[in-house]
Amino acid sequence: MCVFSIGPDFIFMNDNARPHRTLAVEELLESEDITRMDCPAYSPDLNPIEHVWDSLGRRIAARLHHPENTQHFKQMLIEK
C-alpha cells in the first residue's frame, strides 16, 4: 500500500486486503486525516473502481492507434 497526498479532496480507496486493515494503517490514515472509502469485500461487481478500469480499457481498445509509451497512454486516458 502506498499512501501519498494528492490534495484536500483526496480519498483513499481501501481494497480490504488483510495488511491494509492493521492498526498501524488505521493510525496512519487517521494521523494524516485521510478519508477512506472501503470497497465491498470479494465482490468485483460492487467495486466501483472495477467499472472505471473497464471503461478506460474499452476507450483505449477502441482507438485506432494504441499507446506507444507511458506518457502517450496517460494522455489517451485523460482525453475525451
Side-chain angles (χ1 to χ4, degrees), residues 6-70:
I6 294 177
D9 297 326
F10 174 75
I11 296 176
F12 174 70
M13 187 168 201
N14 189 352
D15 62 3
N16 287 329
R18 186 176 301 261
H20 300 166
R21 295 187 318 238
T22 66
L23 181 58
V25 171
E26 296 285 331
E27 289 173 350
L28 172 68
L29 294 174
E30 187 175 313
S31 72
E32 296 296 322
D33 197 29
I34 295 174
T35 303
R36 180 180 54 195
M37 179 172 80
D38 292 324
C39 295
Y42 312 110
S43 182
D45 291 336
L46 297 176
N47 184 341
I49 198 66
E50 295 302 326
H51 298 286
V52 173
W53 286 124
D54 180 57
S55 176
L56 288 172
R58 290 174 188 266
R59 285 175 49 190
I60 294 298
R63 293 190 172 249
L64 184 59
H65 301 288
H66 294 284
E68 300 167 6
N69 54 44
T70 305

Short mmCIF file of all heavy atoms in Angstrom, two decimals, residues 6-70:
data_model
loop_
_atom_site.label_atom_id
_atom_site.label_comp_id
_atom_site.label_asym_id
_atom_site.label_seq_id
_atom_site.Cartn_x
_atom_site.Cartn_y
_atom_site.Cartn_z
N ILE A 6 -2.64 13.87 -2.44
CA ILE A 6 -2.89 14.43 -3.76
C ILE A 6 -3.53 15.79 -3.64
O ILE A 6 -3.35 16.64 -4.47
CB ILE A 6 -3.77 13.48 -4.59
CG1 ILE A 6 -2.99 12.21 -4.86
CG2 ILE A 6 -4.22 14.13 -5.88
CD1 ILE A 6 -3.75 11.16 -5.60
N GLY A 7 -4.27 16.04 -2.61
CA GLY A 7 -4.94 17.31 -2.42
C GLY A 7 -5.96 17.21 -1.32
O GLY A 7 -6.15 16.15 -0.71
N PRO A 8 -6.66 18.30 -1.04
CA PRO A 8 -7.60 18.31 0.07
C PRO A 8 -8.79 17.37 -0.12
O PRO A 8 -9.42 16.96 0.84
CB PRO A 8 -8.04 19.77 0.16
CG PRO A 8 -7.76 20.34 -1.19
CD PRO A 8 -6.59 19.57 -1.74
N ASP A 9 -9.11 17.02 -1.35
CA ASP A 9 -10.27 16.15 -1.62
C ASP A 9 -9.86 14.69 -1.86
O ASP A 9 -10.66 13.90 -2.34
CB ASP A 9 -11.05 16.67 -2.83
CG ASP A 9 -11.63 18.05 -2.57
OD1 ASP A 9 -12.01 18.32 -1.42
OD2 ASP A 9 -11.69 18.85 -3.51
N PHE A 10 -8.62 14.35 -1.53
CA PHE A 10 -8.10 13.00 -1.74
C PHE A 10 -8.89 12.00 -0.92
O PHE A 10 -9.19 12.22 0.25
CB PHE A 10 -6.62 12.95 -1.35
CG PHE A 10 -6.02 11.58 -1.39
CD1 PHE A 10 -5.72 10.99 -2.60
CD2 PHE A 10 -5.76 10.89 -0.22
CE1 PHE A 10 -5.15 9.72 -2.65
CE2 PHE A 10 -5.19 9.63 -0.27
CZ PHE A 10 -4.90 9.05 -1.48
N ILE A 11 -9.27 10.88 -1.55
CA ILE A 11 -9.94 9.78 -0.85
C ILE A 11 -9.15 8.51 -1.16
O ILE A 11 -8.90 8.18 -2.31
CB ILE A 11 -11.40 9.60 -1.30
CG1 ILE A 11 -12.21 10.83 -0.94
CG2 ILE A 11 -12.01 8.35 -0.67
CD1 ILE A 11 -13.64 10.80 -1.43
N PHE A 12 -8.75 7.81 -0.13
CA PHE A 12 -8.01 6.56 -0.26
C PHE A 12 -9.01 5.42 -0.41
O PHE A 12 -9.90 5.26 0.42
CB PHE A 12 -7.13 6.34 0.97
CG PHE A 12 -6.44 5.01 0.99
CD1 PHE A 12 -5.42 4.73 0.10
CD2 PHE A 12 -6.82 4.05 1.90
CE1 PHE A 12 -4.78 3.50 0.12
CE2 PHE A 12 -6.18 2.82 1.93
CZ PHE A 12 -5.16 2.54 1.03
N MET A 13 -8.88 4.64 -1.48
CA MET A 13 -9.78 3.51 -1.69
C MET A 13 -9.10 2.26 -1.17
O MET A 13 -8.10 1.81 -1.71
CB MET A 13 -10.12 3.37 -3.17
CG MET A 13 -11.15 2.34 -3.42
SD MET A 13 -11.71 2.50 -5.11
CE MET A 13 -13.26 1.70 -4.98
N ASN A 14 -9.64 1.72 -0.10
CA ASN A 14 -9.07 0.55 0.55
C ASN A 14 -9.61 -0.71 -0.10
O ASN A 14 -10.82 -0.86 -0.25
CB ASN A 14 -9.43 0.58 2.04
CG ASN A 14 -8.71 -0.47 2.83
OD1 ASN A 14 -8.05 -1.34 2.29
ND2 ASN A 14 -8.85 -0.40 4.14
N ASP A 15 -8.72 -1.63 -0.47
CA ASP A 15 -9.16 -2.87 -1.13
C ASP A 15 -9.46 -3.99 -0.15
O ASP A 15 -9.68 -5.13 -0.55
CB ASP A 15 -8.13 -3.32 -2.15
CG ASP A 15 -6.78 -3.64 -1.53
OD1 ASP A 15 -6.65 -3.58 -0.30
OD2 ASP A 15 -5.85 -3.94 -2.29
N ASN A 16 -9.47 -3.67 1.13
CA ASN A 16 -9.80 -4.64 2.19
C ASN A 16 -8.81 -5.79 2.32
O ASN A 16 -9.12 -6.81 2.91
CB ASN A 16 -11.21 -5.21 2.02
CG ASN A 16 -12.26 -4.22 2.38
OD1 ASN A 16 -12.05 -3.37 3.24
ND2 ASN A 16 -13.40 -4.29 1.72
N ALA A 17 -7.61 -5.65 1.75
CA ALA A 17 -6.59 -6.67 1.95
C ALA A 17 -6.22 -6.70 3.44
O ALA A 17 -6.19 -5.66 4.11
CB ALA A 17 -5.35 -6.37 1.11
N ARG A 18 -5.96 -7.87 3.95
CA ARG A 18 -5.67 -8.01 5.38
C ARG A 18 -4.57 -7.06 5.87
O ARG A 18 -4.74 -6.42 6.91
CB ARG A 18 -5.31 -9.46 5.70
CG ARG A 18 -5.15 -9.71 7.19
CD ARG A 18 -4.89 -11.19 7.47
NE ARG A 18 -5.97 -12.02 7.00
CZ ARG A 18 -6.96 -12.49 7.77
NH1 ARG A 18 -6.96 -12.20 9.04
NH2 ARG A 18 -7.90 -13.23 7.27
N PRO A 19 -3.44 -6.89 5.14
CA PRO A 19 -2.41 -5.97 5.62
C PRO A 19 -2.89 -4.51 5.69
O PRO A 19 -2.34 -3.72 6.43
CB PRO A 19 -1.29 -6.10 4.60
CG PRO A 19 -1.52 -7.39 3.90
CD PRO A 19 -3.01 -7.61 3.94
N HIS A 20 -3.90 -4.16 4.93
CA HIS A 20 -4.40 -2.78 4.91
C HIS A 20 -5.38 -2.50 6.03
O HIS A 20 -5.85 -1.38 6.18
CB HIS A 20 -5.05 -2.46 3.57
CG HIS A 20 -4.11 -2.59 2.43
ND1 HIS A 20 -4.54 -2.63 1.13
CD2 HIS A 20 -2.76 -2.72 2.38
CE1 HIS A 20 -3.50 -2.76 0.33
NE2 HIS A 20 -2.41 -2.83 1.07
N ARG A 21 -5.71 -3.53 6.81
CA ARG A 21 -6.66 -3.36 7.91
C ARG A 21 -5.98 -3.38 9.27
O ARG A 21 -6.64 -3.50 10.29
CB ARG A 21 -7.73 -4.45 7.84
CG ARG A 21 -8.58 -4.36 6.59
CD ARG A 21 -9.74 -5.35 6.64
NE ARG A 21 -9.35 -6.66 7.14
CZ ARG A 21 -9.48 -7.80 6.48
NH1 ARG A 21 -10.00 -7.80 5.28
NH2 ARG A 21 -9.12 -8.93 7.02
N THR A 22 -4.66 -3.29 9.30
CA THR A 22 -3.94 -3.35 10.57
C THR A 22 -4.11 -2.05 11.35
O THR A 22 -4.47 -1.00 10.80
CB THR A 22 -2.43 -3.59 10.35
OG1 THR A 22 -1.88 -2.45 9.68
CG2 THR A 22 -2.19 -4.86 9.54
N LEU A 23 -3.82 -2.13 12.62
CA LEU A 23 -3.90 -0.95 13.48
C LEU A 23 -2.94 0.13 13.00
O LEU A 23 -3.27 1.32 13.03
CB LEU A 23 -3.60 -1.35 14.94
CG LEU A 23 -3.69 -0.22 15.97
CD1 LEU A 23 -5.08 0.41 15.96
CD2 LEU A 23 -3.34 -0.75 17.35
N ALA A 24 -1.74 -0.26 12.55
CA ALA A 24 -0.75 0.71 12.07
C ALA A 24 -1.29 1.50 10.89
O ALA A 24 -1.11 2.72 10.80
CB ALA A 24 0.54 0.00 11.69
N VAL A 25 -1.97 0.82 9.97
CA VAL A 25 -2.55 1.51 8.80
C VAL A 25 -3.68 2.43 9.25
O VAL A 25 -3.77 3.58 8.81
CB VAL A 25 -3.04 0.49 7.75
CG1 VAL A 25 -3.84 1.19 6.66
CG2 VAL A 25 -1.87 -0.27 7.16
N GLU A 26 -4.53 1.94 10.14
CA GLU A 26 -5.62 2.76 10.66
C GLU A 26 -5.07 4.04 11.30
O GLU A 26 -5.57 5.13 11.04
CB GLU A 26 -6.42 1.98 11.72
CG GLU A 26 -7.15 0.77 11.19
CD GLU A 26 -8.38 1.13 10.40
OE1 GLU A 26 -9.00 2.17 10.68
OE2 GLU A 26 -8.73 0.36 9.49
N GLU A 27 -4.03 3.89 12.11
CA GLU A 27 -3.44 5.04 12.79
C GLU A 27 -2.81 6.01 11.80
O GLU A 27 -2.92 7.23 11.95
CB GLU A 27 -2.43 4.59 13.82
CG GLU A 27 -3.07 3.92 15.02
CD GLU A 27 -2.06 3.31 15.98
OE1 GLU A 27 -0.85 3.24 15.63
OE2 GLU A 27 -2.48 2.90 17.08
N LEU A 28 -2.13 5.48 10.78
CA LEU A 28 -1.51 6.33 9.76
C LEU A 28 -2.56 7.14 9.01
O LEU A 28 -2.43 8.36 8.86
CB LEU A 28 -0.70 5.51 8.76
CG LEU A 28 -0.17 6.29 7.56
CD1 LEU A 28 0.89 7.28 7.99
CD2 LEU A 28 0.33 5.37 6.49
N LEU A 29 -3.61 6.49 8.55
CA LEU A 29 -4.66 7.18 7.81
C LEU A 29 -5.31 8.25 8.68
O LEU A 29 -5.59 9.36 8.23
CB LEU A 29 -5.70 6.19 7.30
CG LEU A 29 -5.20 5.20 6.24
CD1 LEU A 29 -6.29 4.18 5.93
CD2 LEU A 29 -4.75 5.91 5.00
N GLU A 30 -5.53 7.91 9.95
CA GLU A 30 -6.14 8.88 10.86
C GLU A 30 -5.20 10.05 11.14
O GLU A 30 -5.61 11.20 11.13
CB GLU A 30 -6.53 8.18 12.16
CG GLU A 30 -7.33 9.07 13.08
CD GLU A 30 -7.81 8.31 14.31
OE1 GLU A 30 -8.33 7.20 14.16
OE2 GLU A 30 -7.64 8.86 15.41
N SER A 31 -3.93 9.76 11.35
CA SER A 31 -2.97 10.84 11.67
C SER A 31 -2.77 11.79 10.50
O SER A 31 -2.49 12.97 10.68
CB SER A 31 -1.62 10.25 12.09
OG SER A 31 -0.95 9.69 10.97
N GLU A 32 -2.93 11.29 9.28
CA GLU A 32 -2.78 12.12 8.08
C GLU A 32 -4.12 12.71 7.64
O GLU A 32 -4.19 13.38 6.61
CB GLU A 32 -2.16 11.31 6.94
CG GLU A 32 -0.76 10.83 7.21
CD GLU A 32 0.23 11.96 7.37
OE1 GLU A 32 0.11 12.97 6.64
OE2 GLU A 32 1.12 11.86 8.23
N ASP A 33 -5.18 12.44 8.39
CA ASP A 33 -6.53 12.92 8.10
C ASP A 33 -6.95 12.53 6.67
O ASP A 33 -7.45 13.33 5.90
CB ASP A 33 -6.61 14.44 8.29
CG ASP A 33 -8.04 14.93 8.39
OD1 ASP A 33 -8.90 14.14 8.85
OD2 ASP A 33 -8.32 16.07 7.98
N ILE A 34 -6.71 11.26 6.34
CA ILE A 34 -7.04 10.73 5.02
C ILE A 34 -8.41 10.06 5.07
O ILE A 34 -8.63 9.15 5.88
CB ILE A 34 -5.97 9.73 4.53
CG1 ILE A 34 -4.65 10.47 4.33
CG2 ILE A 34 -6.41 9.02 3.26
CD1 ILE A 34 -3.48 9.57 3.99
N THR A 35 -9.30 10.50 4.22
CA THR A 35 -10.63 9.90 4.13
C THR A 35 -10.50 8.57 3.39
O THR A 35 -9.83 8.49 2.36
CB THR A 35 -11.58 10.83 3.36
OG1 THR A 35 -11.62 12.08 4.01
CG2 THR A 35 -12.97 10.23 3.29
N ARG A 36 -11.13 7.55 3.91
CA ARG A 36 -11.04 6.23 3.31
C ARG A 36 -12.40 5.78 2.81
O ARG A 36 -13.42 5.98 3.47
CB ARG A 36 -10.50 5.23 4.32
CG ARG A 36 -10.36 3.84 3.75
CD ARG A 36 -9.83 2.88 4.74
NE ARG A 36 -10.65 2.92 5.93
CZ ARG A 36 -10.28 2.41 7.09
NH1 ARG A 36 -9.13 1.83 7.21
NH2 ARG A 36 -11.09 2.48 8.14
N MET A 37 -12.40 5.15 1.64
CA MET A 37 -13.62 4.55 1.11
C MET A 37 -13.35 3.05 1.03
O MET A 37 -12.45 2.62 0.31
CB MET A 37 -13.94 5.11 -0.28
CG MET A 37 -15.17 4.49 -0.89
SD MET A 37 -15.69 5.30 -2.40
CE MET A 37 -14.56 4.57 -3.56
N ASP A 38 -14.09 2.28 1.78
CA ASP A 38 -13.91 0.83 1.76
C ASP A 38 -14.61 0.22 0.55
O ASP A 38 -15.72 0.61 0.20
CB ASP A 38 -14.48 0.20 3.03
CG ASP A 38 -13.66 0.57 4.25
OD1 ASP A 38 -12.44 0.67 4.11
OD2 ASP A 38 -14.26 0.76 5.32
N CYS A 39 -13.95 -0.73 -0.07
CA CYS A 39 -14.54 -1.47 -1.19
C CYS A 39 -15.33 -2.64 -0.62
O CYS A 39 -14.94 -3.20 0.39
CB CYS A 39 -13.45 -2.03 -2.09
SG CYS A 39 -12.47 -0.81 -2.91
N PRO A 40 -16.38 -3.03 -1.29
CA PRO A 40 -17.08 -4.25 -0.86
C PRO A 40 -16.14 -5.45 -0.95
O PRO A 40 -15.40 -5.59 -1.92
CB PRO A 40 -18.22 -4.40 -1.86
CG PRO A 40 -18.38 -3.06 -2.47
CD PRO A 40 -17.03 -2.41 -2.44
N ALA A 41 -16.13 -6.26 0.06
CA ALA A 41 -15.23 -7.41 0.09
C ALA A 41 -15.63 -8.47 -0.94
O ALA A 41 -16.80 -8.81 -1.04
CB ALA A 41 -15.23 -8.02 1.49
N TYR A 42 -14.65 -8.93 -1.68
CA TYR A 42 -14.82 -10.07 -2.59
C TYR A 42 -15.97 -9.92 -3.59
O TYR A 42 -16.64 -10.88 -3.91
CB TYR A 42 -15.01 -11.37 -1.79
CG TYR A 42 -13.98 -11.54 -0.72
CD1 TYR A 42 -14.33 -11.44 0.62
CD2 TYR A 42 -12.65 -11.76 -1.05
CE1 TYR A 42 -13.37 -11.58 1.61
CE2 TYR A 42 -11.69 -11.90 -0.06
CZ TYR A 42 -12.05 -11.81 1.26
OH TYR A 42 -11.11 -11.94 2.23
N SER A 43 -16.21 -8.73 -4.06
CA SER A 43 -17.30 -8.54 -5.00
C SER A 43 -16.91 -7.54 -6.08
O SER A 43 -17.19 -6.35 -5.97
CB SER A 43 -18.55 -8.05 -4.27
OG SER A 43 -19.60 -7.91 -5.18
N PRO A 44 -16.25 -8.00 -7.16
CA PRO A 44 -15.83 -7.08 -8.22
C PRO A 44 -16.99 -6.31 -8.84
O PRO A 44 -16.83 -5.17 -9.25
CB PRO A 44 -15.18 -7.98 -9.25
CG PRO A 44 -14.99 -9.29 -8.62
CD PRO A 44 -15.90 -9.36 -7.43
N ASP A 45 -18.18 -6.90 -8.89
CA ASP A 45 -19.32 -6.21 -9.48
C ASP A 45 -19.77 -5.01 -8.64
O ASP A 45 -20.33 -4.06 -9.17
CB ASP A 45 -20.51 -7.16 -9.65
CG ASP A 45 -20.23 -8.22 -10.71
OD1 ASP A 45 -19.39 -7.95 -11.59
OD2 ASP A 45 -20.85 -9.28 -10.65
N LEU A 46 -19.54 -5.07 -7.35
CA LEU A 46 -19.94 -3.98 -6.47
C LEU A 46 -18.81 -2.98 -6.24
O LEU A 46 -19.02 -1.95 -5.62
CB LEU A 46 -20.42 -4.53 -5.12
CG LEU A 46 -21.65 -5.41 -5.19
CD1 LEU A 46 -21.97 -5.96 -3.80
CD2 LEU A 46 -22.84 -4.64 -5.73
N ASN A 47 -17.63 -3.29 -6.72
CA ASN A 47 -16.47 -2.44 -6.53
C ASN A 47 -16.45 -1.37 -7.62
O ASN A 47 -16.24 -1.68 -8.78
CB ASN A 47 -15.21 -3.30 -6.59
CG ASN A 47 -13.96 -2.51 -6.31
OD1 ASN A 47 -13.96 -1.28 -6.41
ND2 ASN A 47 -12.90 -3.20 -5.98
N PRO A 48 -16.68 -0.10 -7.28
CA PRO A 48 -16.79 0.94 -8.31
C PRO A 48 -15.53 1.11 -9.16
O PRO A 48 -15.62 1.45 -10.33
CB PRO A 48 -17.08 2.21 -7.51
CG PRO A 48 -16.77 1.91 -6.10
CD PRO A 48 -16.84 0.42 -5.94
N ILE A 49 -14.35 0.85 -8.61
CA ILE A 49 -13.13 1.07 -9.38
C ILE A 49 -13.03 0.06 -10.53
O ILE A 49 -12.45 0.36 -11.58
CB ILE A 49 -11.88 1.03 -8.48
CG1 ILE A 49 -10.68 1.67 -9.18
CG2 ILE A 49 -11.55 -0.39 -8.06
CD1 ILE A 49 -10.80 3.14 -9.45
N GLU A 50 -13.60 -1.12 -10.39
CA GLU A 50 -13.55 -2.12 -11.47
C GLU A 50 -14.30 -1.61 -12.70
O GLU A 50 -13.88 -1.85 -13.83
CB GLU A 50 -14.15 -3.45 -11.00
CG GLU A 50 -13.35 -4.13 -9.90
CD GLU A 50 -11.91 -4.43 -10.30
OE1 GLU A 50 -11.65 -4.72 -11.49
OE2 GLU A 50 -11.04 -4.36 -9.41
N HIS A 51 -15.39 -0.89 -12.48
CA HIS A 51 -16.14 -0.33 -13.61
C HIS A 51 -15.36 0.79 -14.29
O HIS A 51 -15.42 0.95 -15.51
CB HIS A 51 -17.51 0.17 -13.13
CG HIS A 51 -18.36 -0.92 -12.57
ND1 HIS A 51 -18.96 -1.87 -13.37
CD2 HIS A 51 -18.67 -1.24 -11.29
CE1 HIS A 51 -19.62 -2.72 -12.60
NE2 HIS A 51 -19.46 -2.36 -11.33
N VAL A 52 -14.62 1.55 -13.51
CA VAL A 52 -13.77 2.60 -14.08
C VAL A 52 -12.68 1.99 -14.94
O VAL A 52 -12.44 2.42 -16.08
CB VAL A 52 -13.16 3.49 -12.97
CG1 VAL A 52 -12.16 4.46 -13.55
CG2 VAL A 52 -14.26 4.22 -12.22
N TRP A 53 -11.99 0.97 -14.42
CA TRP A 53 -10.93 0.32 -15.20
C TRP A 53 -11.50 -0.29 -16.48
O TRP A 53 -10.88 -0.22 -17.54
CB TRP A 53 -10.25 -0.78 -14.37
CG TRP A 53 -9.33 -0.26 -13.32
CD1 TRP A 53 -9.39 -0.54 -11.98
CD2 TRP A 53 -8.24 0.65 -13.47
NE1 TRP A 53 -8.39 0.14 -11.31
CE2 TRP A 53 -7.67 0.87 -12.21
CE3 TRP A 53 -7.67 1.30 -14.57
CZ2 TRP A 53 -6.59 1.70 -12.01
CZ3 TRP A 53 -6.58 2.14 -14.35
CH2 TRP A 53 -6.05 2.32 -13.10
N ASP A 54 -12.67 -0.89 -16.40
CA ASP A 54 -13.30 -1.47 -17.58
C ASP A 54 -13.59 -0.40 -18.63
O ASP A 54 -13.29 -0.58 -19.81
CB ASP A 54 -14.59 -2.19 -17.19
CG ASP A 54 -15.28 -2.82 -18.37
OD1 ASP A 54 -14.64 -3.64 -19.07
OD2 ASP A 54 -16.44 -2.48 -18.63
N SER A 55 -14.15 0.71 -18.19
CA SER A 55 -14.47 1.80 -19.10
C SER A 55 -13.21 2.37 -19.77
O SER A 55 -13.18 2.58 -20.98
CB SER A 55 -15.21 2.90 -18.34
OG SER A 55 -15.45 4.00 -19.19
N LEU A 56 -12.17 2.59 -18.96
CA LEU A 56 -10.92 3.12 -19.52
C LEU A 56 -10.30 2.12 -20.52
O LEU A 56 -9.82 2.51 -21.58
CB LEU A 56 -9.92 3.42 -18.40
CG LEU A 56 -10.25 4.63 -17.54
CD1 LEU A 56 -9.29 4.70 -16.36
CD2 LEU A 56 -10.19 5.91 -18.35
N GLY A 57 -10.33 0.85 -20.16
CA GLY A 57 -9.78 -0.17 -21.05
C GLY A 57 -10.51 -0.22 -22.39
O GLY A 57 -9.89 -0.34 -23.45
N ARG A 58 -11.83 -0.10 -22.35
CA ARG A 58 -12.62 -0.10 -23.58
C ARG A 58 -12.32 1.13 -24.43
O ARG A 58 -12.27 1.05 -25.66
CB ARG A 58 -14.11 -0.17 -23.26
CG ARG A 58 -14.54 -1.52 -22.71
CD ARG A 58 -16.00 -1.47 -22.27
NE ARG A 58 -16.37 -2.66 -21.57
CZ ARG A 58 -16.94 -3.71 -22.16
NH1 ARG A 58 -17.17 -3.70 -23.46
NH2 ARG A 58 -17.25 -4.78 -21.47
N ARG A 59 -12.16 2.29 -23.77
CA ARG A 59 -11.86 3.51 -24.51
C ARG A 59 -10.51 3.41 -25.23
O ARG A 59 -10.38 3.82 -26.38
CB ARG A 59 -11.85 4.72 -23.57
CG ARG A 59 -13.26 5.14 -23.17
CD ARG A 59 -13.29 6.25 -22.16
NE ARG A 59 -12.42 7.37 -22.50
CZ ARG A 59 -12.15 8.36 -21.68
NH1 ARG A 59 -12.68 8.38 -20.47
NH2 ARG A 59 -11.37 9.35 -22.04
N ILE A 60 -9.52 2.85 -24.55
CA ILE A 60 -8.20 2.70 -25.17
C ILE A 60 -8.26 1.67 -26.30
O ILE A 60 -7.72 1.87 -27.38
CB ILE A 60 -7.14 2.30 -24.12
CG1 ILE A 60 -6.94 3.43 -23.11
CG2 ILE A 60 -5.82 1.93 -24.78
CD1 ILE A 60 -6.43 4.74 -23.69
N ALA A 61 -8.93 0.54 -26.07
CA ALA A 61 -9.02 -0.52 -27.07
C ALA A 61 -9.75 -0.06 -28.33
O ALA A 61 -9.47 -0.53 -29.43
CB ALA A 61 -9.70 -1.75 -26.48
N ALA A 62 -10.70 0.86 -28.18
CA ALA A 62 -11.49 1.34 -29.31
C ALA A 62 -10.73 2.31 -30.21
O ALA A 62 -11.16 2.60 -31.32
CB ALA A 62 -12.77 2.00 -28.81
N ARG A 63 -9.61 2.80 -29.75
CA ARG A 63 -8.85 3.78 -30.55
C ARG A 63 -8.14 3.10 -31.71
O ARG A 63 -7.73 1.95 -31.62
CB ARG A 63 -7.83 4.49 -29.67
CG ARG A 63 -8.49 5.39 -28.64
CD ARG A 63 -7.45 6.24 -27.99
NE ARG A 63 -8.10 7.21 -27.14
CZ ARG A 63 -8.12 8.51 -27.40
NH1 ARG A 63 -7.52 8.99 -28.46
NH2 ARG A 63 -8.73 9.34 -26.58
N LEU A 64 -7.98 3.86 -32.76
CA LEU A 64 -7.30 3.35 -33.95
C LEU A 64 -5.82 3.11 -33.67
O LEU A 64 -5.25 2.12 -34.10
CB LEU A 64 -7.47 4.35 -35.10
CG LEU A 64 -6.91 3.96 -36.45
CD1 LEU A 64 -7.54 2.65 -36.93
CD2 LEU A 64 -7.16 5.06 -37.46
N HIS A 65 -5.21 4.02 -32.92
CA HIS A 65 -3.79 3.90 -32.58
C HIS A 65 -3.66 3.59 -31.09
O HIS A 65 -4.25 4.26 -30.27
CB HIS A 65 -3.05 5.20 -32.89
CG HIS A 65 -3.15 5.59 -34.33
ND1 HIS A 65 -2.48 4.93 -35.34
CD2 HIS A 65 -3.86 6.55 -34.94
CE1 HIS A 65 -2.78 5.47 -36.49
NE2 HIS A 65 -3.62 6.48 -36.28
N HIS A 66 -2.88 2.58 -30.78
CA HIS A 66 -2.67 2.21 -29.39
C HIS A 66 -1.50 3.01 -28.82
O HIS A 66 -0.64 3.47 -29.57
CB HIS A 66 -2.41 0.71 -29.27
CG HIS A 66 -3.62 -0.10 -29.64
ND1 HIS A 66 -4.69 -0.24 -28.81
CD2 HIS A 66 -3.93 -0.77 -30.78
CE1 HIS A 66 -5.61 -0.97 -29.40
NE2 HIS A 66 -5.18 -1.31 -30.60
N PRO A 67 -1.45 3.19 -27.50
CA PRO A 67 -0.38 3.98 -26.90
C PRO A 67 1.00 3.39 -27.18
O PRO A 67 1.18 2.18 -27.17
CB PRO A 67 -0.69 3.96 -25.41
CG PRO A 67 -1.66 2.87 -25.20
CD PRO A 67 -2.35 2.64 -26.50
N GLU A 68 1.94 4.29 -27.44
CA GLU A 68 3.31 3.87 -27.77
C GLU A 68 4.20 3.82 -26.54
O GLU A 68 5.19 3.10 -26.52
CB GLU A 68 3.90 4.85 -28.78
CG GLU A 68 3.11 4.89 -30.07
CD GLU A 68 3.51 6.06 -30.96
OE1 GLU A 68 4.47 6.77 -30.62
OE2 GLU A 68 2.84 6.25 -31.98
N ASN A 69 3.87 4.61 -25.52
CA ASN A 69 4.66 4.65 -24.30
C ASN A 69 3.77 5.10 -23.15
O ASN A 69 2.58 5.39 -23.35
CB ASN A 69 5.87 5.58 -24.47
CG ASN A 69 5.46 6.97 -24.93
OD1 ASN A 69 4.49 7.53 -24.43
ND2 ASN A 69 6.19 7.51 -25.89
N THR A 70 4.34 5.18 -21.97
CA THR A 70 3.56 5.54 -20.80
C THR A 70 2.97 6.93 -20.90
O THR A 70 1.82 7.15 -20.54
CB THR A 70 4.45 5.44 -19.53
OG1 THR A 70 5.01 4.14 -19.48
CG2 THR A 70 3.64 5.67 -18.27
#
